[in-house]
Amino acid sequence: MRVEVGGTHFPLETLGPGRRLGIWFQGCPLACPGCMSRHTWDPRGGEPMDVERLLELWRDALGRGAAGLTVSGGEPLAQPAALAELLRGAARLRSGLTRPGATGDGLPADLLVYTGYEESELDAARRSALASADAVVTGRFRVAEPTGLVWRGSANQRLTPRTGLGRIRYAPHLDREADGPAVQVVVESGRTSGEPAGPPAVRLYGVPRRGELPRWERWLKERGLRLRERSWRP
């Protein structure tokens, strides 16, 4: 099955516990004002990939000790069949490849999904797509309702464990205030296979606190990196 993907990254350290594989689905019909990831809204603005290719990345991440998989976007539930296939495959692989203790707490790698839909908006198709998820963050981003809760962008968003593993892994974090870096900065070379190097691409992964993005802009500028485009600005 093909899925439109906005990007992937390992190790992701700011969207869930531990070092994780991050997969961003492309396309979001919700278009929350103030979203930092406007580049993921266009449903045709990403890269078509086979779910099997994403599972290969997951297999590799597990071999490197990944604590979990985080699927965000965009809106993952805009591609429910592909999300369901990805999560089912990821659950199968972690059962066979996760070594005891590989995640640091002796637990298997977990599967976390971010969706802008509220729990009440999860119809049968959406619930089916989330059947293999261990935990889900639900709710639209509301720029006027900031929160200090870890891994959430606004106070209305809810982190809900959905399995036994999810309840164990996420219990310490349900009401925990963020106490570490909220954003992970990754600078990519801009070079693609067989092509001359272009300008470097700077990617910010995580849930920034209010006012944090301008501070990162200044930090990058001080190091000689001027942002030509910003995904959080119209």
Side-chain angles (χ1 to χ4, degrees), residues 77 80 117-130:
L77 288 177
Y117 289 104
E118 306 289 347
E119 187 74 31
S120 61
E121 297 177 300
L122 299 182
D123 57 18
R126 293 168 185 159
R127 289 186 182 279
S128 178
L130 294 171

Side-chain angles (χ1 to χ4, degrees), residues 4-234:
E4 196 79 14
V5 175
T8 66
H9 183 71
F10 180 84
L12 175 66
E13 300 174 343
T14 50
L15 290 175
R19 300 167 73 250
R20 312 174 67 82
L21 173 64
I23 297 176
W24 287 265
F25 276 33
Q26 183 71 20
C28 182
L30 303 178
C32 299
C35 173
M36 72 171 288
S37 302
R38 295 172 62 92
H39 64 292
T40 66
W41 289 4
D42 181 357
R44 295 291 175 255
E47 176 185 0
M49 296 180 70
D50 290 330
V51 170
E52 186 55 42
R53 172 58 184 147
L54 296 176
L55 291 175
E56 290 174 6
L57 297 178
W58 175 233
R59 184 184 292 108
D60 179 69
L62 286 172
R64 296 164 65 185
L69 167 67
T70 296
V71 184
S72 187
E75 174 49 64
L77 288 177
Q79 302 180 75
L83 178 62
E85 183 172 318
L86 173 63
L87 294 177
R88 283 196 301 267
R92 281 196 309 270
L93 283 174
R94 61 126 179 248
S95 298
L97 295 182
T98 300
R99 302 183 303 275
T103 58
D105 56 13
L107 296 172
D110 72 87
L111 311 178
L112 171 66
V113 178
Y114 277 79
T115 174
Y117 289 104
E118 306 289 347
E119 187 74 31
S120 61
E121 297 177 300
L122 299 182
D123 57 18
R126 293 168 185 159
R127 289 186 182 279
S128 178
L130 294 171
S132 297
D134 295 298
V136 179
V137 176
T138 55
R140 288 160 180 72
F141 172 66
R142 297 178 183 170
V143 69
E145 300 180 24
T147 182
L149 293 175
V150 69
W151 308 322
R152 279 149 283 183
S154 54
N156 62 295
Q157 293 179 326
R158 296 288 178 264
L159 170 59
T160 305
R162 300 172 69 91
T163 67
L165 170 60
R167 285 185 282 276
I168 296 171
R169 173 65 57 76
Y170 287 91
H173 308 293
L174 298 180
D175 300 309
R176 181 170 74 83
E177 297 280 324
D179 55 4
V183 171
Q184 177 181 355
V185 179
V186 176
V187 180
E188 300 174 349
S189 68
R191 182 182 296 275
T192 57
S193 178
E195 298 289 337
V202 179
R203 304 192 185 279
L204 278 62
Y205 298 120
V207 183
R209 302 178 182 94
R210 174 172 281 187
E212 188 170 2
L213 290 175
R215 289 197 295 273
W216 279 114
E217 288 187 53
R218 292 193 296 271
W219 184 88
L220 291 164
K221 183 177 179 181
E222 290 167 358
R223 286 153 181 80
L225 293 170
R226 294 177 180 270
L227 300 180
R228 297 191 303 177
E229 297 179 2
R230 299 161 180 82
S231 63
W232 53 89
R233 292 187 183 176

